[in-house]
Amino acid sequence: WCNCWSVGALTVHYSRHHDILGPRADRVLEGIGRVIVLNAAIGIFAGGIDNAAHLGGLIGGAAAGFLIGCRFVPVRDRFGRIRGYRDEPLLKM
């Protein structure tokens, strides 16, 4: 069982912070891609599954992750070195 909205939000998160997470983000995104393909295949070949609902959840989750999800921005010292990150989502709640 998969919450497609959470998969969409996670995809945005790992794509957005690829520069911070490095190779781990690649591995997670590959796994997410496999889950999406597997769910689509099950939806096509098994009866009673609404792929449109799954796609809607995926798109909705991606949109929510993009708008209100974490957006880490580097905090730099006076010499330009990164000292940490702060969260600046596009829509603050």
Side-chain angles (χ1 to χ4, degrees):
W1 184 77
C2 171
N3 286 317
C4 287
W5 64 268
S6 61
V7 173
L10 279 174
T11 301
V12 169
H13 176 78
Y14 280 96
S15 298
R16 179 181 277 173
H17 300 110
H18 189 272
D19 56 332
I20 299 170
L21 299 171
R24 177 181 175 177
D26 291 330
R27 291 190 301 275
V28 172
L29 289 169
E30 285 177 20
I32 289 173
R34 288 186 189 116
V35 167
I36 292 170
V37 169
L38 179 64
N39 279 342
I42 291 171
I44 291 169
F45 296 112
I49 297 175
D50 187 0
N51 271 344
H54 283 119
L55 182 60
L58 186 69
I59 292 169
F66 181 78
L67 293 173
I68 62 174
C70 298
R71 190 171 67 107
F72 298 127
V73 177
V75 175
R76 298 182 183 274
D77 63 13
R78 62 184 178 143
F79 301 108
R81 296 177 294 206
I82 296 175
R83 292 297 180 188
Y85 295 90
R86 71 177 174 271
D87 185 19
E88 290 186 4
L90 292 178
L91 294 178
K92 295 182 181 180
M93 301 191 79

